[in-house]
């Protein structure tokens, strides 16, 4: 047994990053002790068989996505590595408090932007910064969403720095994805390690769908509402998640063509005729929701739905216009929003960020681009990004010109070695970089689901965790 234990982690080499499982001198951290003992009771051959079974389970469940830009349209699994990411419960409590504080401040900010704009008048952020944000919707001025809530479902991307401190990379408040993988990952890992789950107290994530449903019911304009999930359709990369959540909540999954506005209400076509719809959990972008109010070429939305929404005849989550708060150039202001709206000190810090539309920041970025991570402010999926220390001089020149040409479209951050967690590789176990996307639901109260989606860069040395760039996932255990 002792020889087997040595075999499992004998080649596990710690780098400069904070490792979630091992500390200095490869001393196992307390939150991983029980799991490490269990893992070492299994042979490496059996562990690899468990990983193969996990891959097959994902395929059978249909846990696939289409890679952006893949001309073949191939569906791939978002690979689940069977070694979980384990976070201590006390540490999670503090992170949870910080997330609730952050979402509360962001909700107040969005409401302020579409009403009095005190944050602009008091000089905390410029009017130009808001009005040049592509996700800012002037048509939402004066809009009062049901219960005063704009960001009903949020996914906040968090990393650990080299000292092990959690900090925020960015906020996702429009249509954050990944929660279905969090839920299915847990089901698979419970089946993979059934005896171990019986021994330890991992906080459950299975109540996500009931909490989501309760929130949607809470914002409804009528009692006993009819709720639907609005999807762009089967060709959307997150369609699996849309259908999964509709099924988990026991509601209908609809496309824009299934809905119609008539007689002052929204109706859903069904085999029994038209049925009134009261709440829409939308998974389509703001500007595609209503061709009469936004993009006239949209074939995905419902003509006239935005006007009914303004009148309070239907509730929509997340509220149109919410995206103004997840612009990467606005994210650096969130700690100031916490102080401004809540009169509190931020519990979670931001990753230091240079806003290229600011002259001093622009000068610094252009002079130090080789050491920085440069990102487009409204890109996603790991696209529109350059990691300076890992890029060549040609890429540095290219991005320097892009930034100079359109500073508002870029932000930059120092390259941070994301924390690492062991992953099963062909040889044995190796550290791979991870981030964390906890999911927050804002209804009658703010609920943070214990865990979230851990995304992992499966390529050795890579810091890009996005699925479209070769990333995978891990189950996240709060113990």
């Amino acid at each position: 047994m002792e020889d087997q234990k040595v075999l499992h982690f004998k080649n596990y080499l710690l780098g400069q990053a904070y490792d979630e499982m091992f500390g200095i001198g490869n001393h196992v951290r307390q939150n991983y002790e029980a799991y490490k003992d269990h893992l070492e009771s299994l042979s490496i051959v059996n562990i690899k068989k468990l990983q193969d079974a996990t891959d097959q389970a994902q395929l059978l469940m249909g846990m696939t996505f289409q890679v952006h830009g893949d001309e073949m349209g191939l569906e791939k699994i978002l690979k689940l590595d069977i070694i979980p990411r384990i976070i201590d419960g006390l540490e999670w409590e503090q992170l949870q408090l910080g997330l609730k504080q952050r979402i509360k401040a962001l909700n107040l900010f969005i409401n302020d932007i579409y009403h009095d704009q005190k944050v602009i008048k008091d000089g905390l952020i410029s009017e130009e910064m808001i009005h040049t944000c592509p996700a800012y919707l002037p048509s939402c001025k004066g809009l009062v969403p049901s219960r005063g809530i704009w960001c009903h479902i949020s996914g906040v991307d968090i990393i650990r720095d080299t000292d092990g401190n959690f900090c925020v990379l960015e906020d996702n408040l429009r249509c954050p994805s990944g929660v279905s993988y969090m839920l299915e990952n847990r089901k698979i890992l419970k089946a993979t390690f059934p005896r171990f789950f019986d021994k330890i107290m991992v906080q459950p994530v299975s109540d996500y769908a009931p909490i989501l449903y309760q929130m949607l019911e809470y914002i409804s304009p009528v009692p006993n509402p009819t709720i639907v999930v609005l999807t762009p359709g089967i060709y959307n990369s997150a369609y699996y998640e849309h259908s999964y959540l509709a099924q988990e909540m026991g509601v209908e999954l609809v496309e824009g063509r299934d809905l119609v506005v008539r007689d002052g209400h929204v109706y859903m076509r069904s085999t029994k005729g038209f049925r009134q719809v009261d709440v829409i959990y939308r998974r389509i972008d703001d500007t595609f929701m209503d061709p009469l109010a936004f993009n006239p070429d949209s074939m995905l939305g419902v003509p006239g739905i935005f006007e009914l929404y303004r009148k309070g005849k239907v509730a929509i989550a997340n509220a149109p216009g919410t995206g103004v708060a997840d612009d990467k150039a606005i994210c650096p202001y969130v700690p100031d929003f916490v102080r401004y709206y809540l009169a509190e000190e931020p519990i979670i810090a931001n990753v230091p960020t240079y806003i290229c539309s600011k002259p001093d920041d622009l000068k610094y970025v252009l002079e130090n681009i080789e050491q920085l991570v440069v990102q487009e402010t409204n890109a996603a999926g790991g696209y529109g990004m350059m990691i300076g220390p890992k890029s060549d001089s040609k890429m540095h020149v290219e991005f320097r010109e892009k930034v100079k040409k359109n500073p508002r479209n870029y932000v930059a951050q120092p390259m941070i070695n994301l924390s690492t967690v062991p992953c099963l590789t062909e040889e044995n176990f190796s550290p791979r970089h991870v981030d964390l996307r906890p999911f927050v639901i804002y209804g009658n109260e703010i609920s943070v689901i214990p865990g979230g989606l851990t995304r992992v860069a499966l390529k050795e040395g890579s810091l890009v965790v996005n699925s479209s760039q070769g990333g995978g996932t891990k189950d996240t255990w709060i113990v």
Side-chain angles (χ1 to χ4, degrees):
M1 180 66 72
E2 196 61 38
D3 289 341
Q4 184 173 295
K5 289 186 178 184
V6 172
L7 174 65
H8 277 14
F9 291 99
K10 70 173 183 178
N11 295 320
Y12 193 82
L13 299 176
L14 294 176
Q16 296 180 339
Y18 178 95
D19 192 80
E20 305 272 339
M21 185 170 180
F22 294 100
I24 297 172
N26 278 47
H27 173 74
V28 64
R29 299 188 191 278
Q30 185 176 0
N31 49 313
Y32 267 96
E33 286 178 350
Y35 178 78
K36 182 173 179 286
D37 288 344
H38 180 73
L39 193 66
E40 290 175 334
S41 70
L42 306 171
S43 71
I44 195 68
V45 172
N46 284 337
I47 293 171
K48 289 186 176 182
K49 286 181 179 178
L50 289 174
Q51 181 66 65
D52 290 341
T54 294
D55 295 345
Q56 290 301 314
Q58 287 188 278
L59 283 171
L60 291 172
M61 289 177 170
M63 292 175 65
T64 60
F65 70 99
Q66 183 176 334
V67 177
H68 177 74
D70 189 333
E71 295 180 359
M72 299 294 291
L74 296 176
E75 295 283 328
K76 299 182 179 181
I77 64 168
L78 182 54
K79 187 176 179 65
L80 167 62
D81 184 87
I82 63 170
I83 311 303
R85 196 246 191 98
I86 304 176
I87 299 173
D88 178 75
L90 292 176
E91 191 174 35
W92 175 257
E93 285 182 15
Q94 188 70 3
L95 184 59
Q96 183 176 247
L97 289 173
L99 289 168
K100 290 181 178 181
Q101 178 194 60
R102 189 177 185 93
I103 296 304
K104 191 181 298 183
L106 283 167
N107 193 72
L108 291 169
F109 163 71
I110 300 167
N111 194 66
D112 186 17
I113 285 302
Y114 290 117
H115 288 86
D116 298 334
Q117 298 194 338
K118 292 180 180 178
V119 70
I120 295 175
K121 295 170 185 174
D122 288 341
L124 204 68
I125 193 169
S126 70
E127 185 175 29
E128 182 183 10
M129 178 65 75
I130 300 300
H131 289 175
T132 55
C133 173
Y136 170 69
L137 301 180
S139 53
C140 289
K141 287 181 180 178
L143 191 152
V144 181
S146 176
R147 306 281 187 172
I149 303 170
W150 293 80
C151 46
H152 308 89
I153 305 110
S154 307
V156 183
D157 289 347
I158 292 173
I159 65 167
R160 280 193 198 265
D161 61 20
T162 51
D163 295 321
N165 300 313
F166 285 117
C167 45
V168 174
L169 265 180
E170 63 182 70
D171 304 289
N172 299 279
L173 291 93
R174 277 176 270 195
C175 302
S177 62
V179 72
S180 60
Y181 297 103
M182 174 191 76
L183 297 172
E184 291 289 64
N185 286 354
R186 177 59 53 83
K187 291 179 183 178
I188 293 172
L189 262 287
K190 287 181 77 172
T192 304
F193 300 108
R195 287 183 300 158
F196 186 68
F197 258 91
D198 291 340
K199 294 179 182 178
I200 63 169
M201 299 289 289
V202 178
Q203 293 188 36
V205 296
S206 56
D207 55 356
Y208 178 86
I211 293 173
L212 177 62
Y213 186 90
Q214 289 167 13
M215 179 275 291
L216 295 171
E217 196 174 40
Y218 176 72
I219 65 172
S220 170
V222 300
N224 304 313
T226 296
I227 300 169
V228 299
V229 176
L230 176 60
T231 176
I234 60 172
Y235 297 109
N236 185 269
S237 61
Y239 181 76
Y240 165 78
E241 177 158 298
H242 307 164
S243 59
Y244 177 87
L245 290 174
Q247 183 176 7
E248 288 290 300
M249 289 192 291
V251 304
E252 293 291 335
L253 179 69
V254 300
E255 297 181 29
R257 60 188 177 184
D258 299 319
L259 302 179
V260 62
V261 171
R262 55 189 287 185
D263 302 327
H265 293 283
V266 180
Y267 290 91
M268 169 177 55
R269 293 184 175 92
S270 73
T271 55
K272 296 180 180 179
F274 288 98
R275 182 181 177 187
Q276 183 175 317
V277 171
D278 309 298
V279 184
I280 299 173
Y281 174 26
R282 54 105 176 185
R283 295 299 298 258
I284 65 175
D285 291 341
D286 292 5
T287 54
F288 289 94
M289 284 183 56
D290 185 344
L292 299 182
F294 304 114
N295 183 353
D297 297 324
S298 173
M299 302 292 288
L300 302 175
V302 185
I305 197 171
F306 183 69
E307 185 59 30
L308 286 190
Y309 175 66
R310 288 191 68 98
K311 293 177 179 178
K313 297 291 187 179
V314 64
I316 299 176
N318 282 351
T322 302
V324 69
D326 66 15
D327 185 307
K328 290 182 178 70
I330 289 176
C331 180
Y333 292 92
V334 177
D336 292 330
F337 297 160
V338 170
R339 298 183 186 98
Y340 182 76
Y341 293 110
L342 304 179
E344 299 172 0
E345 280 301 308
I347 296 172
I348 314 176
N350 271 23
V351 172
T353 304
Y354 300 97
I355 303 170
C356 294
S357 58
K358 291 184 173 182
D360 289 346
D361 285 10
L362 175 62
K363 182 175 183 293
Y364 181 85
V365 170
L366 294 176
E367 291 175 352
N368 298 275
I369 204 164
E370 296 86 356
Q371 279 75 50
L372 299 170
V373 178
V374 182
Q375 302 179 69
E376 288 186 28
T377 55
N378 280 278
Y383 296 100
M385 178 175 74
M386 182 205 70
I387 302 177
K390 293 181 177 289
S391 301
D392 57 25
S393 57
K394 181 181 178 181
M395 186 68 73
H396 297 153
V397 171
E398 180 183 328
F399 263 76
R400 191 176 276 113
E401 290 305 311
K402 286 182 177 181
V403 172
K404 282 196 289 188
K405 186 176 181 180
N406 187 4
R408 174 60 180 85
N409 198 42
Y410 291 91
V411 296
Q413 297 169 332
M415 191 185 84
I416 296 176
N417 277 316
L418 313 182
S419 63
T420 56
V421 177
C423 279
L424 182 62
T425 63
E426 286 298 322
E427 296 75 25
N428 212 328
F429 296 100
S430 298
R432 293 292 186 266
H433 295 288
V434 296
D435 76 352
L436 177 65
R437 178 175 289 181
F439 294 96
V440 187
I441 298 178
Y442 195 163
N444 187 34
E445 58 183 12
I446 301 178
S447 301
V448 182
I449 307 306
L453 180 68
T454 288
R455 301 184 299 177
V456 55
L458 293 173
K459 297 177 183 177
E460 185 176 4
S462 174
L463 294 171
V464 183
V465 299
N466 305 83
S467 58
S468 54
Q469 305 289 312
T473 66
K474 287 179 173 288
D475 193 13
T476 310
W477 297 359
I478 310 300
V479 297

